[in-house]
């Protein structure tokens, strides 16, 4: 009997050791958290609201790239023709019997200002011609009698833009009527080889460099080119992984703005009803670069809760996230029993040996 008991224990241990699994159990993940290797946070509406999807609320800032200004506004690099007039023929601006002076090709400098005698530095970028005119009159009023001025834009700062990298027709274009924004330039290059969510755009100008997602540029505010600009588009597919007890595990491209957890689970066919543990829906995520605690974050969602669908809808899935669903305990025991049944022949032989020894 001792031999049979020992054999049964051996069969049970062998069966458990050979049970196939998709990954760690819910308990194993909890143990890893208790040991301090990861951080587990219950997924709540508050936790979901703390994360912003990078494609949901685009914020773009770049040297040489700015929000599209209102129509007829003066910009850095523009050249102005300015006339200044006064009531007296012998005023400070009088020239050759004329009651005024002409200043041609006055450039709007990188700080956004123009500079004139007596008027000094006058902010011009972002203003209309009439607003600049009023500023000039105000600055020279103390030097002359009843001054007046005219301001006309002689030429716009055109510049050129080159687009290269993962686009269909790289090239260089003059910034002007057809190419005004970063998105215009990328479109002129024949569109990117990847989707907007899988394309990173580097914008380089004399005043700085920025890198952002094409999705942020496409769905965010218009961004106007100013001066010579170099744009490089890189293919960087945005993906998430789904593993464990889901119907279609694997790597999936993020192809919609603001993908949430419920949409991601739907994209992989949802939970496997025969195996999934509804309490064991996990999202593994790298810590943010500015997070003092660099341990990976593990968010746990209990799909059995009444507000689970609201939480899953509010929680964004970020590029490189891993969604993992553990097996239900009953599914694990079903595997154990199947493995024991597969080794029942070994158990019968042990019983036979025991019977022969007794006889």
């Amino acid at each position: 009997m001792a031999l049979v008991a020992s054999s049964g224990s051996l069969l049970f241990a062998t069966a458990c050791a050979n049970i196939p699994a998709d990954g760690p159990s819910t308990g194993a993940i909890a143990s890893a958290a208790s040991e301090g290797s990861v951080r587990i946070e219950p997924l709540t509406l508050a936790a979901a609201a703390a994360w912003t999807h990078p494609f949901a609320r685009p914020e773009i800032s770049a040297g040489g790239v700015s929000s599209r200004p209102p129509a007829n506004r003066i910009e850095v690099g523009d050249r102005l023709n300015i006339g200044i007039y006064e009531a007296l023929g012998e005023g400070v601006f009088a020239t050759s019997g004329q009651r005024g002076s002409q200043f041609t090709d006055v450039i709007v400098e990188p700080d956004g200002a123009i500079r004139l005698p007596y008027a000094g530095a006058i902010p011009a970028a972002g203003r209309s011609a009439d607003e600049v005119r009023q500023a000039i009159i105000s600055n020279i009023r103390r030097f002359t009698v009843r001054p007046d001025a005219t301001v006309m834009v002689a030429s716009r700062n055109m510049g050129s833009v080159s687009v290269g990298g993962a686009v269909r027709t790289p090239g260089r274009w003059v910034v002007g009527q057809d190419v005004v924004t970063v998105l215009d330039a990328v479109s002129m290059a024949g569109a990117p080889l990847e989707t907007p969510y899988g394309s990173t755009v580097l914008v380089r100008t004399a005043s700085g460099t920025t890198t952002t997602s094409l999705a942020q540029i496409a769905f965010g505010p218009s961004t106007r080119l100013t001066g010579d600009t170099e744009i490089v588009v890189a293919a960087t597919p945005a993906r998430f992984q789904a593993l464990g007890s889901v119907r279609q595990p694997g790597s999936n491209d993020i192809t919609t703005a603001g993908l949430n957890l419920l949409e991601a689970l739907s994209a992989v066919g949802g939970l496997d009803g025969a195996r999934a543990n509804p309490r064991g829906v996990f999202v593994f995520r790298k810590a943010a670069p500015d997070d003092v605690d660099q341990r990976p974050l593990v968010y746990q969602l209990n799909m059995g809760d009444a507000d689970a669908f609201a939480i899953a809808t509010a929680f964004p899935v970020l590029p490189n996230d891993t969604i993992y669903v553990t097996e239900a305990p009953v599914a694990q025991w079903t595997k154990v029993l199947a493995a024991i049944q597969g080794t029942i022949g070994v158990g019968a032989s042990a019983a036979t040996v025991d019977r022969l020894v007794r006889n």
Side-chain angles (χ1 to χ4, degrees):
M1 291 300 294
L3 178 59
V4 173
S6 175
S7 299
S9 299
L10 177 61
L11 288 174
F12 183 81
T14 302
C16 289
N18 291 281
I19 296 303
D22 296 315
S25 64
T26 303
I29 297 173
S31 297
S34 64
E35 293 171 0
S37 56
V38 297
R39 291 176 286 170
I40 290 186
E41 293 187 19
L43 194 45
T44 62
L45 285 173
W51 286 91
T52 300
H53 199 288
F55 305 143
R57 296 182 184 176
E59 295 179 1
I60 304 169
S61 60
V65 181
S66 60
S67 297
R68 183 190 291 273
N72 301 320
R73 296 290 172 172
I74 294 169
E75 301 177 44
V76 170
D78 287 353
R79 294 179 181 273
L80 311 179
N81 288 342
I82 299 173
I84 298 180
Y85 310 95
E86 50 192 331
L88 300 179
E90 298 179 354
V92 294
F93 291 98
T95 55
S96 303
Q98 301 294 322
R99 295 180 179 179
S101 297
Q102 298 294 320
F103 302 90
T104 60
D105 281 344
V106 178
I107 191 167
V108 181
E109 299 180 10
D111 64 357
I114 58 172
R115 287 167 172 80
L116 296 169
Y118 296 100
I122 300 171
R127 289 181 164 184
S128 67
D130 187 63
E131 288 171 335
V132 174
R133 170 181 169 273
Q134 295 292 342
I136 293 172
I137 294 173
S138 176
N139 281 22
I140 64 174
R141 196 180 302 277
R142 59 186 174 138
F143 299 108
T144 185
V145 177
R146 296 196 300 277
D148 199 0
T150 59
V151 177
M152 297 182 62
V153 178
S155 63
R156 291 287 186 182
N157 174 29
M158 303 299 283
S160 65
V161 57
S162 66
V163 184
V167 291
R168 302 184 189 282
T169 55
R172 179 179 289 275
W173 295 269
V174 174
V175 177
Q177 183 175 357
D178 295 328
V179 182
V180 178
T181 68
V182 174
L183 189 59
D184 290 338
V186 175
S187 298
M188 290 293 288
L193 301 179
E194 275 286 343
T195 65
Y197 310 99
S199 300
T200 299
V201 180
L202 180 146
V203 180
R204 181 184 296 118
T205 68
S207 55
T209 300
T210 188
T211 301
T212 188
S213 162
L214 181 58
Q216 291 176 288
I217 295 174
F219 298 105
S222 298
T223 52
R224 190 178 180 89
L225 294 166
T226 60
D228 293 333
T229 306
E230 178 183 354
I231 298 174
V232 179
V233 181
T236 53
R239 296 191 174 102
F240 72 92
Q241 289 71 43
L243 302 173
S245 300
V246 294
R247 296 185 185 278
Q248 300 169 17
S251 181
N252 296 264
D253 289 339
I254 297 177
T255 58
T256 58
L259 181 72
N260 61 52
L261 180 56
L262 189 63
E263 292 170 332
L265 288 172
S266 299
V268 298
L271 276 59
D272 185 340
R275 299 189 303 130
N277 179 0
R279 297 177 179 273
V281 178
F282 294 92
V283 178
F284 288 77
R285 176 171 297 171
K286 291 182 178 180
D290 57 351
D291 193 341
V292 176
D293 189 343
Q294 284 295 298
R295 291 177 299 165
L297 283 162
V298 182
Y299 289 94
Q300 182 176 4
L301 177 63
N302 182 359
M303 289 296 290
D305 287 344
D307 58 352
F309 289 99
I311 295 172
T313 301
F315 188 70
V317 173
L318 308 186
N320 301 317
D321 276 357
T322 297
I323 300 171
Y324 174 66
V325 181
T326 61
E327 282 189 334
V330 65
Q332 296 172 341
W333 274 108
T334 300
K335 290 182 179 181
V336 171
L337 294 176
I340 292 175
Q341 288 176 354
T343 57
I344 192 66
V346 176
S349 299
T352 301
V353 171
D354 181 66
R355 188 166 54 253
L356 291 173
V357 170
R358 286 180 178 276
N359 292 335

